[in-house]
Amino acid sequence: KAGVTQTPRYLIKTRGQQVTLSCSPISGHRSVSWYQQTPGQGLQFLFEYFSETQRNKGNFPGRFSGRQFSNSRSEMNVSTLELGDSALYLCASSSRGRSLLSSSYNEQFFGPGTRLTVL
Amino acid sequence: AQSVTQLDSQVPVFEEAPVELRCNYSSSVSVYLFWYVQYPNQGLQLLLKYLSGSTLVESINGFEAEFNKSQTSFHLRKPSVHISDTAEYFCAVTRPWGQGGKLIFGQGTELSVKP
């Protein structure tokens, strides 16, 4: 099986612009999560999507948004970019099921990330 | 809420020496615990996990970690490191219920193996 793919791998934007990042999960995986990685804040959870619905969200401003399509591919969008948005954005997919109440564990597989630089 | 503290930001070590990367967590409920490794310009790879059962878990490349509930720790060890182990290592937790895919990570430990 192909792994999680993220496009583009590198991106340079200027302050005030908006950006869209894409993530294609492993075939058959319906859960996609996004994380932001910065030297100062480390790895922080952005949000998770399952079957086109956001079911968990981290503590990020509304400028950060996402969506998931019927084929499980996901995009995240950052509007009005700030210098502090420069980061590695990682996407992870899993075969985790619908219920948040399930205690079964489904491994998350991470993509290589998109390196966003805001100038 | 859960939190994770990795006690060392950088660990330099010579090849074939033993190493321990320390991880402490805080949680009022039971958790699942993980170690991930990140090589330069790559995403995260799961190294090993503790879900339940035996408190000592092992990876295929010689790392092991021991879950210690009383000390709320999940330290990662390897008896003899190789140059190829040079990478950043992240400890992470999640709740078994109600968290979906949300992982809470520590700040990472940079392991640098020198010849």
Side-chain angles (χ1 to χ4, degrees):
Chain A
K1 274 186 181 178
V4 178
T5 57
Q6 293 187 245
T7 57
R9 290 294 310 278
Y10 301 91
L11 206 48
I12 299 175
K13 292 285 188 179
T14 55
R15 280 184 300 173
Q17 288 187 308
Q18 77 163 16
V19 67
T20 299
L21 312 181
S22 180
C23 171
S24 292
I26 291 171
S27 178
H29 286 188
R30 296 167 67 188
S31 169
V32 173
S33 299
W34 288 89
Y35 293 84
Q36 182 197 62
Q37 184 177 17
T38 61
Q41 300 299 315
L43 279 153
Q44 294 185 287
F45 174 79
L46 279 155
F47 27 64
E48 181 197 7
Y49 286 86
F50 180 86
S51 287
E52 303 177 64
T53 302
Q54 185 184 91
R55 67 175 182 181
N56 208 347
K57 189 176 187 304
N59 295 324
F60 278 81
R63 300 186 296 108
F64 292 82
S65 63
R67 59 178 175 168
Q68 187 180 33
F69 301 94
S70 58
N71 62 357
S72 296
R73 189 177 70 86
S74 177
E75 289 182 346
M76 68 162 282
N77 184 77
V78 188
S79 62
T80 320
L81 283 166
E82 300 176 0
L83 295 179
D85 297 333
S86 294
L88 181 67
Y89 289 89
L90 292 166
C91 160
S93 76
S94 85
S95 57
R96 187 174 181 89
R98 179 178 301 279
S99 174
L100 280 177
L101 300 180
S102 170
S103 64
S104 64
Y105 171 70
N106 300 88
E107 181 177 343
Q108 290 195 53
F109 294 84
F110 283 81
T114 294
R115 172 78 60 186
L116 172 65
T117 302
V118 182
L119 303 176
Chain B
Q2 296 79 47
S3 66
V4 179
T5 302
Q6 290 183 242
L7 298 161
D8 307 291
S9 59
Q10 294 180 319
V11 173
V13 64
F14 287 105
E15 194 174 18
E16 297 183 7
V19 71
E20 178 180 79
L21 307 184
R22 296 179 293 168
C23 171
N24 285 96
Y25 70 93
S26 172
S27 177
S28 57
V29 299
S30 60
V31 293
Y32 291 159
L33 292 154
F34 309 87
W35 277 99
Y36 282 85
V37 59
Q38 185 176 36
Y39 298 101
N41 298 315
Q42 293 187 29
L44 300 171
Q45 298 173 32
L46 181 64
L47 193 58
L48 43 75
K49 62 183 182 287
Y50 172 77
L51 306 181
S52 64
S54 173
T55 57
L56 185 66
V57 290
E58 298 176 354
S59 73
I60 57 173
N61 56 355
F63 283 95
E64 64 178 31
E66 185 159 18
F67 169 58
N68 188 318
K69 189 174 182 180
S70 62
Q71 297 187 7
T72 60
S73 68
F74 191 55
H75 300 331
L76 182 69
R77 301 184 183 96
K78 188 170 186 180
S80 175
V81 293
H82 302 287
I83 298 285
S84 59
D85 293 324
T86 294
E88 189 150 21
Y89 292 79
F90 294 91
C91 183
V93 302
T94 191
R95 270 175 20 202
W97 299 273
Q99 286 281 297
K102 181 179 180 179
L103 290 165
I104 296 168
F105 288 91
Q107 288 289 82
T109 298
E110 207 175 306
L111 174 64
S112 175
V113 181
K114 304 176 188 307

